[in-house]
Amino acid sequence: DTINSILEKSHFYSQNIHNQEKLPTNLNNKIIANLFFENSTRTRYSFEVAAKRLGAGVLNFNEENSSLTKGESLYDTLKTFESLGVDIAIIRHSDDRFINGLRDQFKFSVINAGAGKFEHPSQSLLDLFTIKEEFSTFDNLIVTICGDIKSSRVAKSNVTALGKLGVKVLLTGPEDLLPKSEEIPSHCRIVTLDEAVEISDVVMLLRIQHERHETFELSTTDYNEQYGLNDKRVKMLKKDAIIMHPGPVNRDVEIKSHLVEHSQSRIFKQMENGVYSRMAILDWIYS
């Protein structure tokens, strides 16, 4: 119910902005802090745009220019933002469990903007919104997630959320980068990419996250031929299927460069939808 509520609010903001209607300033006089301890473009700036559209003031934290470089503890840094009167802290951190450890320690609300290899819930919500916008329903859909699933927080959040919505999920990619069989939920199964693209409504591609594990040894060309989307596989797609990717995209690896803006691609639409979904998340906190 909460997921559907946020998706409905995302649609509201999407229509509101497309129709150039006056936006409700539900976050007027609120202060939002973007506290990113890992690099980010889409998530960080879409949260900033979302917050500003709702009337909030935004602080953008830069670790390299902070007192952390002088030896200040991370806890004291967060206490500083609390003391400054921050209402919502949007936090990305490389530690899987760092976000959970903040519960009830601070006065501000916390949004998980990406936790290690564990979860990325706001990305999942914008992905779900993109899918629902396309198909109007989740009933009888098949979603394929392809790539470095073992290291992907996006994949983990989407597998969980899609399961709650009754969606069948196909997992595919290099064997070393797939979860163990005992870790795969009942609504998921492992298949080859060629098998998946023929029957899927959504093909979601993931990059190899070299920063989260030892180097995966496979050339760019070989990876795309075996596990990527190319001209051959695009022709195998159902005519109403869509291509998705959370970004950043490694062109010509997980997807051939000229297919990023293919007529069935929704990669840049996902980025646009990130603003609407994150507006809905920020709104939901105060609803």
Side-chain angles (χ1 to χ4, degrees):
D1 289 344
T2 302
I3 290 172
N4 283 319
S5 175
I6 292 174
L7 297 185
E8 288 173 12
K9 184 65 76 171
S10 302
H11 178 71
F12 166 79
Y13 283 123
S14 169
Q15 294 302 301
N16 196 289
I17 290 173
H18 284 158
N19 295 332
Q20 297 184 332
E21 297 173 2
K22 186 176 180 180
L23 289 166
T25 53
N26 296 354
L27 267 64
N28 196 29
N29 297 321
K30 301 295 183 184
I31 302 296
I32 312 299
N34 274 328
L35 306 177
F36 281 65
F37 299 92
E38 286 187 317
N39 294 335
S40 172
T41 301
R42 280 152 294 276
T43 303
R44 173 176 169 172
Y45 290 108
S46 64
F47 264 121
E48 181 173 357
V49 172
K52 288 180 175 178
R53 285 195 179 277
L54 292 173
V58 179
L59 302 176
N60 282 312
F61 171 77
N62 186 328
E63 183 177 5
E64 293 179 357
N65 296 327
S66 75
S67 293
L68 288 171
T69 61
K70 301 177 181 179
E72 181 174 74
S73 71
L74 187 51
Y75 174 82
D76 286 341
T77 295
L78 295 179
K79 288 297 288 185
T80 298
F81 281 99
E82 179 183 57
S83 301
L84 294 173
V86 164
D87 297 289
I88 302 175
I90 300 167
I91 301 178
R92 170 173 291 191
H93 200 277
S94 59
D95 188 319
D96 288 8
R97 303 293 174 178
F98 178 71
I99 300 293
N100 290 346
L102 300 180
R103 195 180 302 275
D104 301 325
Q105 286 195 57
F106 301 95
K107 294 177 184 177
F108 50 68
S109 298
V110 175
I111 293 176
N112 178 356
K117 295 186 287 186
F118 182 55
E119 286 277 6
H120 196 348
S122 69
Q123 177 69 45
S124 178
L125 287 164
L126 76 88
D127 289 345
L128 295 178
F129 176 55
T130 304
I131 293 169
K132 188 167 186 181
E133 190 178 46
E134 189 75 29
F135 298 101
S136 301
T137 181
F138 293 101
D139 294 345
N140 303 314
L141 291 183
I142 299 175
V143 174
T144 287
I145 304 177
C146 176
D148 188 0
I149 294 168
K150 184 170 68 174
S151 303
S152 173
R153 52 197 175 202
V154 174
K156 293 179 179 69
S157 288
N158 273 325
V159 163
T160 300
L162 290 166
K164 291 179 182 294
L165 295 167
V167 177
K168 294 180 181 178
V169 179
L170 305 179
L171 305 176
T172 186
E175 185 176 357
D176 292 344
L177 304 182
L178 294 174
K180 296 177 182 178
S181 57
E182 62 268 21
E183 298 172 345
I184 298 173
S186 58
H187 66 285
C188 302
R189 64 187 179 96
I190 292 178
V191 297
T192 66
L193 182 55
D194 286 342
E195 179 184 354
V197 294
E198 290 187 317
I199 61 174
S200 294
D201 302 288
V202 178
V203 176
M204 184 181 299
L205 304 162
L206 306 172
R207 70 183 178 90
I208 301 172
Q209 300 196 31
H210 294 295
E211 72 273 21
R212 302 194 192 281
H213 51 67
E214 294 181 3
T215 302
F216 177 72
E217 297 294 343
L218 196 64
S219 72
T220 295
T221 302
D222 288 343
Y223 185 91
N224 185 266
E225 288 179 357
Q226 294 182 49
Y227 308 110
L229 195 65
N230 47 40
D231 290 325
K232 181 189 78 171
R233 292 194 176 103
V234 159
K235 292 175 183 176
M236 297 164 63
L237 286 171
K238 294 163 66 172
K239 65 179 182 179
D240 59 347
I242 62 172
I243 302 160
M244 298 177 66
H245 194 307
V249 176
N250 290 317
R251 290 172 179 256
D252 293 320
V253 184
E254 61 265 20
I255 180 171
K256 283 293 186 181
S257 183
H258 64 278
L259 298 179
V260 172
E261 296 182 72
H262 187 273
S263 61
Q264 289 178 266
S265 171
R266 299 296 179 269
I267 294 173
F268 287 101
K269 185 62 177 174
Q270 286 173 265
M271 298 179 196
E272 177 187 338
N273 286 345
V275 173
Y276 313 138
S277 296
R278 287 168 175 134
M279 289 175 74
I281 293 166
L282 290 167
D283 190 350
W284 173 74
I285 288 178
Y286 286 104
S287 63

